[in-house]
Amino acid sequence: MSVFDLLMGALLVASALAAVTLKNAIHAGLALVGNFLALAVVYFALEAQFLGWIQIIVYAGAVMVLFLFVIMLLFDAKADVGPNPLPWMRPIAAALAALLFLALAYAYSSLGPIDPLADVKLAGGLPKALGAILYGGWLYPVLLVAVLLFAATVAAVVLVQPQIRKTRIKPQVLERDRELKEVGR
Amino acid sequence: MLLILIILLPLLGFAYLGLFGKSLKEPQPGILASALTGISFLLVLWGVLSGGASWQIKDWLPGIPFSLLLDHLSGYMGLVVTGIGFLIHVYAIGYMHGDEGFSRFFAYLNFFIAMMMTLVLAGSYPVMFIGWEGVGLASFLLIGFWYTVKKNADSARKAFITNRIGDLGFLLGMALLYGSFGTLSIPELRSAINGSYVLPMGLSLAGLLLFVGAVGKSAQVPLMVWLPDAMAGPTPVSALIHAATMVTAGVYLIARSSFLYVNLQDVSYIIALVGITTAAYGALSALGQWDIKKIVAYSTISQLGYMFLAVGVGAYWIAIFHVMTHAFYKALLFLASGSVIHSLDGEQDIRKMGGLKKYLPRTNLHGLAGALSLAGFPLLAGFWSKDAIITATLNYPFGGTGFYVAGLTVALLTAIYAMRWYALVFLGEYKGEGRPHESPAVMTVPNDVLALGAVFAGLLALPKPLWNLVEPYLAPALAHVEVHEMSLALEWGLITLSAVVALVGLYLGYAAFTRWALPKWYQTFQTWSEKAFYVDLVYNTLIVNPLKELAVLLDWLDKIFDSGYLLLASSSKWLAEQLSWVQAGYVRVYGALMALGLVVLLVWGVLR
Amino acid sequence: MIHVLIFLPLLFGFWVLLAPQQARAVGLFGSLLTLLLGLISFGGVLSGADYAYQTPLLREAGVYYAVAWDGVGAVLMLAVVIATFMALLAAHDVPPAMVGLSLLMESGLLGILAAQDLLLFYVFFEATLIPSLLMLGLFGGAGRVRALIKFAIFTLLGSLLMLAGILAARYLGGSPSFLLKDLLAHSLGGGAGMWAFAAFLVAFMVKTPLFPLHVWLPDFHAENHPSGLADVMGTLYKVGIFGLFRWALPLFPAAFAAFQPWLLALAALTALGAAWTAYAQTEWKRLLAYGALSHMGIGALGIFSGSAIGASGAIFLLAASAIYTGALFLFAGGLQRRFGTLELRPTTGLAKAAPALAALGLILVLAMVGLPGLSGFPGEFMNLLGSWQASPIWTFVAFLGVIAAAAYGLSAYQNLFHNAPGKPAADMDGVEWQWGTLAVLVILFMGVYPKLFTELIMPGAKAFAALLGGGQ
Amino acid sequence: MTTLIILFVVALLTTFVGFFAPAATTKKLTLLGMLAALVGLAFTWGDNVSAFSGLYRYDVFSQGVTLAMIVGALLALLADCDFFERKGWPAFEYYALISFAVFGGHVMASTTHLGAMIVGLEILSIPLYALAASSREERGYEASLKYFLLGAVSAAFFLYGIALYFGSTGSFTLGAEGKGLIFNAAVLMMLAGLAFKSALAPFHWWTPDVYQGSPTPVTLFMATAVKAAAFAALARLVVSVGLGGPWFYALAAIVLLTVFWGNLAALVQGEAKRVLAYSSVAHAGYIAVALFGPNPAPSMGFYLLAYALSTGLAFAVLAELDDGKGVPISELAGLWARSPLLGLGWLTALLSLAGLPPLVGFWGKYLVFVEAAKGHQYLIVALALFAAVIAAYYYLKLLAVALFGKAEKVKPLKLAGSAPVGLALGIFLVVLLGVLPGLTYKLLTLASAVVK
Amino acid sequence: MSYYLLLSALLFAIGLYGVLARRTAILIFMSVELMLNSANLALAAFARGSGNLNGQAMALIVIALAAAEVAVGLGIVVAVFRSRQSTAVDDLAEFRG
């Protein structure tokens, strides 16, 4: 464990804490960007270069920008203000998080030593090695991810369509709606 | 087949009259019913003369045959039932004249005869029980014949329910016998009991339970309360059912089971005690009655007590003998009373009678014959049979003398109330209104026959050394009790004594109720006696009303139970409502609860 | 043959439901055909046939469609087909759907009686609940929903526990299937047997019913359609005693032996308590419900005695009471029609105006009271003989109810027919003559010649007693 | 492969055709596609195929679950009663998203690879998030947002569990050797994630709110298809790790908590859809009972099918009554009088849900309980059965109101569009499979259903 | 390696805290992203520990998943905001009981 490791760890934790506590949503979002960048650096340290790049490009570059964009779009920067109907939620959340961490940490304490040949096998996590795996054994999930992204696009379009499409509605359908209202209410 | 015919004929009469009787004109139903009963009588007679018969369906119920048996005992009893029954049927044609329920009445009567013959001819206890309940039903129907009067309907119900108490005893007794011997056929039981050296435990209980049945049917203490009320029925019914035949079924049951009771000294003793108590109670209650029929009714209770005394002390044939003589004179008394009531257009209070001798000469003779026979006037039927009973008690090893003295005392009372009845109705001056008229021949002729019986029937069984036809005839069907033969001198001495007692009683009764001014204590006694010593009141207060309350209480308890279950249901609903605050709609709470679930799972799964 | 018998009513039931015109005629025709088939089958069973048939329903799970008429089943089958026919004869003023639902119920009941596979039995047992619920719910009185939920919850509580018991009986007992013969060969004992038996017991105690699981019964009858049709079918549905006889006790003889004293007490208390409670009722149907409950207590006593004669008494009682209790409910329906109420004192002295009705009423009441010569007696008597051998004390307690029966039966009768004539009412009409005659004939026949039925019941009862290690 | 391809093509086609064609055409196309998938399923039934280097596993279990999902989708399509058209809501997307969801569910059910599984799960979930909000109303948004946020959290649980699984076994395929604390934690976290999707307590909180808020046809689909897919994954997980570890107790606790909580909470609801939502929670518990048996797949498959039919039928009835604002129980009054077909459907559905023979729901319950009995878990069986008694209460109440309640205005209700077909089909199947359960159960036991 | 794992556990816990403590949908969603990333960190760390590249492949898939989720999630948030001018989740409590 080097100084670098400690530094990155501190950065990660600090930015994460900032992301979940800062009152201003834009600040929190920025903290999260920082966290993601730090994480990318950690990936490099973990022999996962391609992952690190992707992290920077997709996460920090695209996803978080999207987030910040939405935050600003919605003028919702000062979101966590106003009366809180669940004031006791914060300590409970903290306690639950702490317990979760402790349980996981306890589980990790039973881990064995690192495989001495690990970094050789990982080959630095370069695209070439990773690509062989992704388009080899992982072809199926990758294809599925394509479907997923397609489905997500459709879903997102459905969600943000601002107006109800004006279609010609059959008269008997309208009559039925009226009927339901009459009898139901 | 003969046997089933004996039962079936009246039953068919019942069915026919019940379904189509309305379309028949008076007196056709009466004639039909009487004829059928008469044919039954002839069939019984034929059966008796041809030496008995038996008939059965095997395994009518599993292990229990439907068996009928005509032996000497049932033949004898059957002759009494159908014979007296026939006479009363005939009488009723006159008595029920003009009643709108004429055909219904004869339907019921025929039904009664059928059931009574089932009872008598039964070769197994369940069959007897069919008849037993059947006559109870007939009694219910006939007591409540004029059901539009609430009192009559109430009396009918009371009779049935009281009888049911006894019937429960009968049922349980049968269950016990079946449990011990695996059969309920009377001949089989008889051979089983006679053949076994060691009697099963609980046999006494069986005997006692059967006796409880007899107590109910024969209106013995403490189940006697229904019989006086049963007088609500038409008088021929009182004569037939509540005097001559049905009420003696209890005696018949004990006699039929004599092979059992002869082995059960303890139970027999209880029977004798109950018998004498009932005899005394009936006689004392009869003394104070003002209703012409109630006197006879209490007298019936008393006489039935005598019969039980007889079977209790083991004198089975004498009891059966008394059944016959009693049937004659008590039927006669009832029918004579009926004739009186008929002639007075329904008047039953003897304080409004008197001097009827003049108006109703034939009936007067019938009444006199009946009363004297009941009182034990020497040489009349009642004298011989009653004397035989009282004498037999002396042979009883367990306190026979006490029974004897008590029996004699009751005989004295019997003579007094018999005379009181006769004197107040027929002697003295007529105190009522209206003009009494003698009954038609259709009513008096049967009474003539009965009167002959009441006078001469005793001659069938006379003390030694004179002839006795009844005892040897019945002997094969009854258990025999070894008794110490008493000397002829002693026997005839006792006979004389009872004759004297009867005569004294008759005189006392005649004197007291026609000439004397009665003392003050008698007035008190009169009141108590009239109310039959308030037994009804006591029963109502102690038993009937609490049971009614119990029913209400149980109903209430049931509702409590119901609401208990409802509470259970609503409490789970309550629980659900208490839980539902969790589902408050806050997504963060849901998240926290999920996290809590995960944390619990993890902490427990990892730290375990 | 047996399938036709079981499913013919179902067919006619659907016919009636789908084409409600002429409901009564079609229904009557259907039930008459069923009755005839039932009589033929009964005759067949008398001459030794059992019509057994078996085919897998769920082969993988060892569930069979296995049906047969043994003696006991045949006797009860006859009672079901007769009672249904009688009820439909009487039902001339009911909604058409009720006729259809009754026929569906008849089908289910026949299935219950014929099933030789425990799960098939269960399926029929539960399936029959549906039309019964519908009849109550669709055509019941004001408090029907409450009555319905109570009825259903009790029944379902019992039957779901029974389902657990069924599973335990098979999988703990190690039986290869749910067939009766397989289950009998792999009887489950020990503690598990106790629990499984208790589960069965609850189910059948609800359906018998026995104290304290009986509280659904009075409401069920009081709230049902006044015609009495639903009550007849409900009465037929009280198959608890049959269930105990065919399944619960034979499958768990050891557990039963341990429970027996308590069960006897429970049955006896039901018999007595219900009879007295009946005396306090002010409504015909409630009175009949409690009266019937009391009889079921006596029947249960016979079954729990574990003796052959007691068991056959219980079955006989079940068959007999199906007819006379059913007829009494129809009779009550007639009163409702006449007076618009079921109060016990709508009028008095009715015998004057309606003597035939009075006679019918008397015969029915007396059958219920258990008068010898009528159908109520033989069963009661055999129960008595059997239960005495098991427990004289509880027999005594239970049969105290006989006295109470006379009290409530005759009081109710007197209230209606005797005393001073009140409001007059019409005597029996044609329809009442029809079903009344049928009922009376059956009641008389069963009372006078029980041999026909006991002969069929007895072999089964003896086998039952032998399984329980007792009998004679 | 055939089924996978058919479903994929259907999803693509509905999306693209939907751009041009009217909604009705898209609907017909989707229906046709589902029927084609059904045919494909029928022709490949019993096959045991694996593709994509073993990541796609097409076995009898996957076929059974897919059958249940397609049945749910068909009912959802048939019973939509022009719901969307009536409201002028996006219509063709509805069909496209449903097709995608079915595809995702099939993927999820037909793999033992965790990577493929979670992608399948997302393909299933993401369309649903959108569908929940498709009503364009407050209630829909609330449902959608709740579903989405909690779903995302649960996906995170699942993912972290996958990571731990990988850490302790070095593999992403279920059935790998693994033990130790990390393995325990992995299984438990994956359990939690899947329990969320299958609405097992204490991860079920979203269910009532989302079911209530979503348009009824969508709810129908959620209750049937989603549950089936989630349980497929759950079953594969549990079977692969066996019942030996600490998750046995976890599972037992979850099952019991689920049946009791679900049934109790349903008692006090005033909204028909909400009652059915809690009932669906409870049913999830019953389905999970099968996990305690030695071979849960056939009975679970049967239950899923039975449940899809029954609850699908119930929601189909509600869909007819829903005017977009839910169906308070009181509005059910007089249902029988207003439309006998709806009444009959409601009756069959609820009695089947309550587990009364001879309806299919009974056999479902029976089979899962048998399964647990074979595993000798009698206590769980008994307690679950006991909870079923509570359930009977609210089913009967719903039934009583609908069939026996007096409506203020009894106006006949005309059924719209394809709804009568859907209802009739549902009733027919519920009764048919109730009388002859062997028809499908036999299919599910063809091969002894390799689940791992 | 276990250092990074602990770090990932800590991030996961912090993310969970954020999910529960935050009151607007968008911030909660951001916390969820934190949790997903912690899973990725764990995957990478495990891959590093055992020299198994599959872990990194999975992490890539997860990033794609997250992207899809973000698309839909932000869509929902925007839609909700449009309808009620707020994304505070505590206001969304119409359904209860």
Side-chain angles (χ1 to χ4, degrees), chain A residues 161-167, chain D residues 84 87-90 134-136:
Chain A
Q161 265 182 351
Q163 269 164 358
I164 292 168
R165 197 188 305 106
K166 293 276 176 260
T167 48
Chain D
F84 294 91
K87 294 287 162 196
W89 292 335
S134 60
S135 65
R136 292 270 177 285

Side-chain angles (χ1 to χ4, degrees), chain C residues 126-309:
Chain C
E126 292 295 285
T128 316
L129 181 63
I130 298 171
S132 150
L133 283 177
L134 283 178
M135 259 199 270
L136 175 58
L138 289 173
F139 309 110
R144 65 203 158 160
V145 169
R146 195 170 156 262
L148 172 128
I149 288 181
K150 201 153 69 164
F151 169 53
I153 294 287
F154 270 89
T155 307
L156 283 175
L157 169 75
S159 52
L160 286 174
L161 281 178
M162 180 164 83
L163 185 57
I166 288 174
L167 298 182
R170 175 169 167 202
Y171 291 101
L172 281 179
S175 161
S177 76
F178 287 107
L179 287 174
L180 179 58
K181 56 181 192 317
D182 283 344
L183 288 172
L184 287 178
H186 298 82
S187 170
L188 176 62
M194 294 276 180
W195 284 105
F197 178 62
F200 272 80
L201 206 54
V202 170
F204 292 128
M205 271 171 66
V206 169
K207 265 287 147 51
T208 303
L210 283 181
F211 178 87
L213 298 177
H214 67 279
V215 296
W216 59 270
L217 182 68
D219 279 359
F220 173 83
H221 283 305
E223 295 296 342
N224 242 319
H225 190 265
S227 71
L229 175 58
D231 299 291
V232 178
M233 302 316 291
T235 305
L236 292 174
Y237 192 22
K238 290 194 289 186
V239 290
I241 286 183
F242 174 75
L244 289 168
F245 174 83
R246 170 69 59 80
W247 302 102
L249 303 193
L251 292 187
F252 308 99
F256 166 65
F259 277 67
Q260 192 183 19
W262 300 99
L263 295 177
L264 286 168
L266 216 55
L269 290 177
T270 306
L272 180 59
W276 272 123
T277 314
Y279 188 66
Q281 299 309 312
T282 55
E283 206 197 19
W284 265 100
K285 277 191 172 183
R286 281 191 174 271
L287 178 120
L288 295 178
Y290 278 106
L293 174 60
S294 160
H295 282 199
M296 290 301 118
I298 286 180
L301 195 70
I303 284 287
F304 291 145
S305 75
S307 63
I309 186 135

Side-chain angles (χ1 to χ4, degrees), chain B residues 527-547:
Chain B
T527 321
W528 277 76
S529 170
E530 189 192 347
K531 301 282 180 208
F533 304 94
Y534 298 98
V535 173
D536 267 346
L537 186 67
V538 171
Y539 280 13
N540 277 337
T541 330
L542 289 187
I543 300 170
V544 179
N545 290 336
L547 282 178

Side-chain angles (χ1 to χ4, degrees), chain B residues 487-546:
Chain B
S487 67
L488 279 182
L490 179 58
E491 193 165 352
W492 281 97
L494 295 174
I495 288 170
T496 321
L497 179 58
S498 62
V500 169
V501 165
L503 289 172
V504 168
L506 283 172
Y507 172 73
L508 281 176
Y510 175 73
F513 295 104
T514 53
R515 301 194 188 152
W516 297 352
L518 292 165
K520 188 143 182 67
W521 61 265
Y522 185 82
Q523 294 304 330
T524 319
F525 170 77
Q526 163 79 40
T527 321
W528 277 76
S529 170
E530 189 192 347
K531 301 282 180 208
F533 304 94
Y534 298 98
V535 173
D536 267 346
L537 186 67
V538 171
Y539 280 13
N540 277 337
T541 330
L542 289 187
I543 300 170
V544 179
N545 290 336

Side-chain angles (χ1 to χ4, degrees), chain B residues 33-297:
Chain B
S34 310
L36 287 170
T37 314
I39 296 172
S40 267
F41 174 76
L42 293 176
L43 288 175
V44 177
L45 193 64
W46 185 38
V48 167
L49 292 178
S50 60
S54 71
W55 184 84
Q56 72 169 1
I57 306 173
K58 264 187 92 66
D59 278 329
W60 176 67
L61 290 177
I64 299 165
F66 185 99
S67 61
L68 298 177
L69 176 67
L70 184 74
D71 61 357
H72 287 183
L73 180 58
S74 57
Y76 172 96
M77 195 71 187
L79 285 175
V80 173
V81 170
T82 47
I84 306 262
F86 172 68
L87 293 175
I88 294 174
H89 269 78
V90 174
Y91 174 89
I93 296 177
Y95 188 84
M96 296 305 289
H97 171 70
D99 195 287
E100 63 172 322
F102 190 81
S103 67
R104 184 163 60 96
F105 182 79
F106 281 98
Y108 291 168
L109 274 192
N110 259 358
F111 177 67
F112 170 77
I113 294 289
M115 285 300 124
M116 192 67 203
M117 286 316 294
T118 312
L119 192 162
V120 168
L121 294 176
S124 71
Y125 284 115
V127 179
M128 189 185 278
F129 191 72
I130 296 179
W132 191 266
E133 289 271 284
V135 293
L137 172 62
S139 157
F140 167 80
L141 291 171
L142 285 164
I143 296 171
F145 184 75
W146 290 309
Y147 52 80
T148 49
V149 179
K150 185 168 186 307
K151 192 170 105 359
N152 296 352
D154 283 345
S155 304
R157 188 161 55 111
K158 181 176 173 185
F160 197 85
I161 295 172
T162 316
N163 265 305
R164 272 253 142 173
I165 300 174
D167 295 346
L168 177 61
F170 196 161
L171 277 173
L172 295 174
M174 282 194 280
L176 215 173
L177 286 176
Y178 183 81
S180 305
F181 296 100
T183 175
L184 285 173
S185 156
I186 291 170
E188 283 174 29
L189 275 175
R190 183 175 183 169
S191 54
I193 287 179
N194 285 343
S196 61
Y197 291 100
V198 185
L199 289 171
M201 298 277 295
L203 201 60
S204 294
L205 185 59
L208 201 61
L209 286 169
L210 285 185
F211 174 59
V212 171
V215 164
K217 188 103 316 189
S218 294
Q220 297 296 291
V221 173
L223 298 180
M224 65 294 180
V225 287
W226 65 272
L227 186 56
D229 287 8
M231 296 305 127
T235 305
V237 171
S238 312
L240 179 61
I241 301 184
H242 304 115
T245 54
M246 183 187 87
V247 287
T248 61
V251 184
Y252 179 72
L253 169 65
I254 307 285
R256 251 286 170 237
S257 321
S258 57
F259 59 89
L260 174 68
Y261 287 97
V262 81
N263 291 307
L264 302 173
Q265 289 301 335
D266 41 0
V267 180
S268 293
Y269 186 72
I270 293 172
I271 294 176
L273 268 184
V274 169
I276 191 67
T277 313
T278 310
Y281 170 80
L284 286 172
S285 301
L287 261 175
Q289 299 304 320
W290 293 120
D291 185 313
I292 184 169
K293 279 172 74 181
K294 284 228 165 141
I295 299 175
V296 192

Side-chain angles (χ1 to χ4, degrees), chain C residues 457-470:
Chain C
I457 297 172
M458 230 14 212
K462 276 186 178 141
F464 166 82
L467 269 173
L468 298 185

